[in-house]
Amino acid sequence: MDAKKTCLIVMHCQNDIVDPKGLYSGSGAFAEVSRRGTLDKIKTALEAARKAGMQVFYVNNMFSEGYPELGDHNLPICTASRETNSFLVDTWGTTNPDVIKPVKGDIIIRNTNTSAFSYTTLDQILRAKGITELYLAGVATNFVVDSTARYGSELGYNIHVVEDLCASWTQEMHEFGIKYILPQFGEVTDSATMIARLQEG
């Protein structure tokens, strides 16, 4: 694997979703992330990625005060954020837990949609850096991971969904996406395989 042409994208693993005090944690995501040990696995993958010189991205859901990015009826999954007053920019809820917090050299993308590509600079930065291989991690498997895999594959990127670095609101939602949907848009793999590839060079 050429680490310079590869990146790890950690999506929506922010306090409002993956912390028990998060305003959106009642979705079931916190329980699933805890059960699967997702954050510790992401931490290990991040350490290996950075050591190998692989670019790390964080895609965090963040809305401006008053939620001007959202209409009244579009994207119910996003407009629900307004009801809980969650994902407000520059708040604790939009930052990543300390166990997987960004370090110097990582790139943070502000996101207001279910795809990491929609209305963001992600595609521009990837092309500027010559990155073609995308390893995806995040919550939820069947929302941001699914949408990003679809959009990314349509843009011509090679998609690798890292199954053990993803979680959803329920085990069933995660497994359905992993088994039936995501293989249509790229490779479904695991973090051990990704790390082994990095070490092989």
Side-chain angles (χ1 to χ4, degrees), residues 178-196:
I178 289 296
K179 183 175 180 180
Y180 296 108
I181 306 299
L182 289 163
Q184 310 304 318
F185 300 100
E187 174 195 38
V188 174
T189 186
D190 56 41
S191 59
T193 300
M194 185 196 84
I195 292 169

Side-chain angles (χ1 to χ4, degrees), residues 151-192:
Y151 202 147
S153 65
E154 291 170 359
L155 290 173
Y157 292 103
N158 295 319
I159 302 297
H160 310 269
V161 177
V162 191
E163 187 273 337
D164 58 325
L165 304 188
C166 302
S168 188
W169 296 352
T170 67
Q171 180 178 347
E172 291 77 16
M173 293 171 81
H174 170 81
E175 290 179 350
F176 185 88
I178 289 296
K179 183 175 180 180
Y180 296 108
I181 306 299
L182 289 163
Q184 310 304 318
F185 300 100
E187 174 195 38
V188 174
T189 186
D190 56 41
S191 59

Side-chain angles (χ1 to χ4, degrees), residues 15 21 29 46-47 55 59 72 77 85 97 103 148 165 183 188 190 197 200:
N15 288 321
K21 300 184 293 295
L46 286 168
E47 291 170 350
Q55 180 65 62
V59 176
D72 291 333
I77 189 174
N85 206 38
V103 301
T148 302
L165 304 188
V188 174
D190 56 41
R197 289 171 179 172
E200 290 168 1

Side-chain angles (χ1 to χ4, degrees), residues 33-150:
V33 165
S34 298
R35 184 184 70 81
R36 291 173 56 80
T38 308
L39 296 185
D40 286 336
K41 293 172 184 175
I42 290 175
K43 177 185 177 182
T44 299
L46 286 168
E47 291 170 350
R50 292 171 181 138
K51 183 177 180 180
M54 186 180 184
Q55 180 65 62
V56 170
F57 288 87
Y58 287 80
V59 176
N60 289 347
N61 206 216
M62 305 183 202
F63 295 101
S64 304
E65 188 73 37
Y67 299 87
E69 300 89 351
L70 299 175
D72 291 333
H73 304 292
N74 63 315
L75 277 173
I77 189 174
C78 292
T79 54
S81 305
R82 184 166 47 206
E83 298 170 11
T84 56
N85 206 38
S86 53
F87 307 136
L88 281 171
V89 68
D90 296 329
T91 63
W92 170 85
T94 58
T95 59
N96 304 100
D98 286 344
V99 67
I100 60 163
K101 65 182 179 181
V103 301
K104 185 177 181 180
D106 296 342
I107 298 172
I108 301 174
I109 302 290
R110 179 175 172 175
N111 175 232
T112 58
N113 213 313
T114 56
S115 167
F117 287 102
S118 295
Y119 307 110
T120 75
T121 57
L122 179 59
D123 182 49
Q124 180 183 6
I125 296 172
L126 290 171
R127 295 187 187 282
K129 288 182 167 291
I131 295 172
T132 57
E133 306 287 330
L134 313 186
Y135 282 77
L136 306 185
V139 182
T141 313
N142 54 316
F143 295 124
V144 68
V145 177
D146 180 304
S147 294
T148 302
R150 292 172 187 250

